[in-house]
Amino acid sequence: MEHFIVSARKYRPQNFEDVVGQQAITNTLENAIKNNHLAQALLFTGPRGVGKTSCARILAKKINQQDTEYSEDEDFAFNIFELDAASNNSVDDIRNLTDQVRIPPQTGKYKVYIIDEVHMLSQAAFNAFLKTLEEPPAHAIFILATTEKHKIIPTILSRCQIFDFKRIGVLDAKNYLKVICEKEKITAEDDALHIIAQKADGAMRDALSIFDRVVSFSGNNLTREAVTENLNVLDYDTYFNMTDLLLENKIPEVLNAFNTILGKGFEGHHFINGLASHFRDILVAKDKSTIDLLEVGDNAKKKYLTQATKASIPFLMQAINKANDCDLNYRASKNQRLLVELTLMQIASITFDGEKKKSANYIIPATFFQALSPAAKEIKKPTQPKVTISEPEKVAEPKPKLVKPVLKTAQRRGSSLSLKSIHQKKEVKKTDIEENFDNHPKDSFTEEQLQKLWKEYANVLQKKGQRSMASIVATDIPKLEGKFKILFTVPNKLMKDQFHKGRPKLLQFLREKLNNYGIDVMINLNETVEKKFAYTPQEKFNKLKEKNPLLEKLRQTFELDL
């Protein structure tokens, strides 16, 4: 069996021309070498798999090739030293490196030290490295590489020339994969390579790893279907079909299609994110000046242009907003599938003109779809004779007695503006707070944890600008009564009423943080506490004077005003 070399190693760039998607940086480094304008300390930073270490090795080789006769095979390996800071991050490792720096190179002009994952160095190692980095010998050049620049201390950053590597674009990655397919004699559909490039998320190394995996799965013929099956991603056709159903207001078919997607093992969050991106791409395809923003294959681009003629801009804007709201609320939702289904039903109802819409979250009623079926029409026929009422002359004397109960029930319906209806609404609001949490978790907690979260909630209210509620929450320290009951004391009735209004949000905060949905807050009124608070300067001074009577003499001596 022949030894297999992964594409990420086999096609690793050997010169600056082979580096994908970093043309600005490679041109800068080449010009710096030609003009002898290269700094002695360089920092390469950026996401994983974008060519930082490859550029460092190419640069290390190029530096010594300048003004020197060299052969094709000469790589000046004796002049290049690589240190993996992830495993060599101690002070002793850096001291060994600084001792080696003093020795000049035997061949070539420079010794190049590549320190990969430099952010893994300890604080002491960074400090030991500072002096050498600031004043290195003339023959030494340091190239530092990292994915997390923010973890490097500022004194190191100030001594380096920083190069920020960017994520590799989808089209650049796709074009490079095409080149590899030609070299490996693999036939691949344009959409298949595009999906691989998208899945890589800007990392060329990841794109090559995915490419190897898909080739192992489907052989030398890469199709879009094979790639989507192997990578377990939702292809364009899924979103195109779903959008057609949404535009045609077919809610039952939409729900069945979503159920099929869940049956394939995809998460609702993944689907709703992809649907929002699909709406965005349709919106982009509606204008010729923005078509270039579509990072899709040629076949998919034609489908987007076709569907863009069906969908209006108001529909797309509303659909994107609803999908975005669903994305934001997905993690906090207790019934995530229902949340996505409601969002899909609302999107499917945007273009519905069957009746007057009452709200922005309008959903087509189920009776509309029942009316379309022939079985529903048969059910409606026998109900029609019951609606007809005989003329007044033919009404018998006992029939008015039957009307009276109907009138009484009509009179019992409270007006929306009556006092009774207002009290009923208040009762409904109260019942909304007291939900049934029998099946929810009820983890145990300590009084210290409770008091810490209580202070945290007061700070949250303060940041939101709800200072009145924040001051009420901070008036007393809550106490734990029994297992899950919290006792909180307020000094007056006004504060009690105000606290009662903000109690539901406080309960929700505590229940989520403590993972206990059996918590309840009991409010205790103690008007004697009110005397402890001093509001005016005179009251504050009197309070201090009780503790130290000499303050009054001090005020009179210096004729101080309050």
Side-chain angles (χ1 to χ4, degrees):
M1 182 177 175
E2 189 178 349
H3 179 63
F4 174 70
I5 301 174
V6 295
S7 298
R9 286 182 55 199
K10 187 176 181 180
Y11 294 101
R12 188 161 199 157
Q14 299 301 317
N15 49 60
F16 284 129
E17 289 76 16
D18 296 336
V19 179
V20 180
Q22 309 294 346
Q23 191 173 2
I25 292 175
T26 54
N27 288 346
T28 303
L29 293 174
E30 281 188 313
N31 291 334
I33 294 170
K34 289 177 184 177
N35 301 328
N36 196 22
H37 201 266
L38 194 68
Q40 288 195 296
L42 308 172
L43 176 64
F44 292 172
T45 178
R48 68 183 192 284
V50 294
K52 300 184 295 297
T53 307
S54 297
C55 281
R57 291 175 180 175
I58 295 167
L59 178 64
K61 188 168 67 173
K62 286 273 187 183
I63 290 170
N64 285 307
Q65 289 176 356
Q66 192 71 8
D67 300 329
T68 308
E69 293 183 4
Y70 66 94
S71 63
E72 288 288 334
D73 298 329
E74 181 61 63
D75 59 357
F76 296 94
F78 292 106
N79 293 41
I80 301 171
F81 301 88
E82 281 198 45
L83 178 70
D84 180 20
S87 54
N88 303 286
N89 54 7
S90 65
V91 178
D92 293 335
D93 295 319
I94 295 299
R95 284 175 181 166
N96 292 336
L97 186 143
T98 53
D99 290 340
Q100 294 176 12
V101 169
R102 300 171 188 169
I103 304 170
Q106 294 179 352
T107 59
K109 191 175 180 181
Y110 296 101
K111 289 176 75 174
V112 183
Y113 294 87
I114 300 172
I115 304 178
D116 206 0
E117 304 297 337
V118 71
H119 67 274
M120 298 291 284
L121 289 177
S122 63
Q123 184 74 24
F126 271 130
N127 293 331
F129 191 40
L130 278 174
K131 194 65 178 175
T132 306
L133 194 65
E134 186 174 16
E135 298 176 0
H139 60 265
I141 291 179
F142 294 97
I143 304 175
L144 316 180
T146 179
T147 54
E148 301 182 47
K149 185 174 71 172
H150 61 279
K151 290 186 178 180
I152 301 175
I153 60 176
T155 46
I156 292 286
L157 293 175
S158 63
R159 289 166 169 79
C160 297
Q161 193 175 81
I162 301 172
F163 291 86
D164 287 303
F165 284 67
K166 64 181 181 180
R167 290 182 180 275
I168 296 171
V170 175
L171 294 178
D172 290 335
K174 184 180 75 172
N175 292 333
Y176 191 66
L177 290 174
K178 280 183 180 178
V179 174
I180 294 175
C181 286
E182 291 174 3
K183 292 180 180 179
E184 296 290 334
K185 297 179 181 179
I186 295 172
T187 57
E189 293 181 3
D190 188 70
D191 287 343
L193 296 180
H194 188 88
I195 292 170
I196 294 172
Q198 273 189 325
K199 186 75 173 177
D201 194 25
M204 196 65 235
R205 184 169 60 233
D206 290 358
L208 293 172
S209 299
I210 295 169
F211 175 77
D212 287 343
R213 191 175 100 193
V214 174
V215 169
S216 300
F217 172 74
S218 58
N220 293 335
N221 185 21
L222 295 186
T223 61
R224 179 175 59 84
E225 291 79 10
V227 171
T228 53
E229 182 182 354
N230 182 258
L231 299 182
N232 196 30
V233 295
L234 288 168
D235 60 356
Y236 300 118
D237 288 340
T238 303
Y239 293 114
F240 281 121
N241 295 335
M242 180 64 77
T243 305
D244 286 336
L245 294 174
L246 293 170
L247 288 169
E248 294 168 7
N249 315 119
K250 295 181 178 179
I251 289 181
E253 288 83 351
V254 167
L255 297 179
N256 287 328
F258 179 58
N259 184 61
T260 304
I261 291 166
L262 294 177
K264 293 179 180 178
F266 295 101
E267 281 191 5
H269 200 189
H270 176 69
F271 165 73
I272 204 70
N273 280 335
L275 187 64
S277 300
H278 182 75
F279 289 146
R280 174 260 180 196
D281 290 340
I282 296 174
L283 191 63
V284 164
K286 289 188 75 67
D287 194 336
K288 293 181 180 179
S289 60
T290 57
I291 288 177
D292 294 335
L293 297 176
L294 276 176
E295 294 184 340
V296 295
D298 295 334
N299 295 332
K301 187 176 286 188
K302 293 176 183 177
K303 292 183 179 180
Y304 273 110
L305 293 172
T306 304
Q307 199 165 68
T309 58
K310 301 177 184 177
S312 64
I313 292 178
F315 166 80
L316 293 171
M317 295 302 294
Q318 290 185 57
I320 290 171
N321 284 332
K322 291 182 185 298
N324 185 51
D325 290 341
C326 180
D327 177 30
L328 295 174
N329 298 326
Y330 189 86
R331 293 297 179 195
S333 175
K334 299 293 181 185
N335 193 338
Q336 296 172 336
R337 174 171 180 165
L338 178 61
L339 177 67
V340 178
E341 288 176 339
L342 285 172
T343 302
L344 291 174
M345 287 190 285
Q346 290 171 8
I347 294 173
S349 305
I350 292 173
T351 57
F352 180 69
D353 295 326
E355 59 180 69
K356 188 177 180 182
K357 299 177 185 178
K358 296 180 180 179
S359 66
N361 296 327
Y362 174 80
I363 295 175
I364 302 171
T367 53
F368 173 77
F369 301 102
Q370 291 174 0
L372 295 177
S373 62
K377 292 178 181 178
E378 291 177 5
I379 294 169
K380 286 183 179 180
K381 285 179 182 177
T383 60
Q384 290 176 358
K386 294 181 180 179
V387 180
T388 58
I389 302 172
S390 56
E391 294 179 349
E393 297 89 17
K394 297 178 183 179
V395 176
E397 290 181 359
K399 286 188 178 179
K401 292 180 181 179
L402 297 174
V403 179
K404 287 180 181 178
V406 179
L407 293 173
K408 284 180 181 178
T409 54
Q411 288 173 357
R412 284 174 187 169
R413 292 180 182 174
S415 169
S416 60
L417 298 176
S418 66
L419 291 173
K420 188 176 180 181
S421 65
I422 294 170
H423 288 303
Q424 286 174 349
K425 287 178 182 177
K426 287 184 177 179
E427 288 175 4
V428 170
K429 287 182 180 179
K430 287 180 181 178
T431 54
D432 287 344
I433 299 168
E434 307 298 333
E435 297 180 33
N436 185 13
F437 293 108
D438 292 341
N439 298 326
H440 288 64
K442 296 179 181 178
D443 295 353
S444 58
F445 59 93
T446 62
E447 196 170 64
E448 292 179 1
Q449 290 176 318
L450 168 66
Q451 292 172 0
K452 185 178 179 182
L453 286 172
W454 196 276
K455 290 180 182 177
E456 184 182 333
Y457 185 70
N459 293 333
V460 170
L461 291 172
Q462 194 75 24
K463 289 177 182 177
K464 288 183 178 179
Q466 301 177 13
R467 296 178 182 175
S468 176
M469 186 61 189
S471 63
I472 294 171
V473 171
T475 54
D476 190 35
I477 299 172
K479 296 178 182 178
L480 195 59
E481 295 283 336
K483 229 179 178 184
F484 304 140
K485 286 187 179 180
I486 302 167
L487 186 63
F488 183 68
T489 305
V490 291
N492 56 53
K493 192 174 183 303
L494 182 64
M495 283 189 176
K496 182 180 178 181
D497 295 340
Q498 190 72 18
F499 181 83
H500 190 74
K501 292 179 182 178
R503 179 171 165 270
K505 291 183 179 179
L506 171 63
L507 270 175
Q508 184 183 359
F509 176 82
L510 293 175
R511 286 169 176 172
E512 289 178 357
K513 290 286 185 181
L514 295 170
N515 197 29
N516 187 320
Y517 288 81
I519 293 174
D520 195 12
V521 177
M522 310 299 293
I523 309 169
N524 184 27
L525 181 62
N526 186 8
E527 295 184 353
T528 57
V529 181
E530 192 174 7
K531 297 177 182 177
K532 295 181 181 179
F533 296 92
Y535 298 102
T536 64
Q538 181 66 49
E539 289 173 349
K540 291 177 183 177
F541 179 74
N542 293 338
K543 205 74 175 169
L544 293 171
K545 193 168 66 171
E546 289 176 7
K547 296 181 180 180
N548 190 351
L550 292 175
L551 285 174
E552 178 63 29
K553 187 176 180 182
L554 178 69
R555 187 184 70 81
Q556 292 175 357
T557 303
F558 291 99
E559 298 180 353
L560 299 174
D561 294 330
L562 294 176

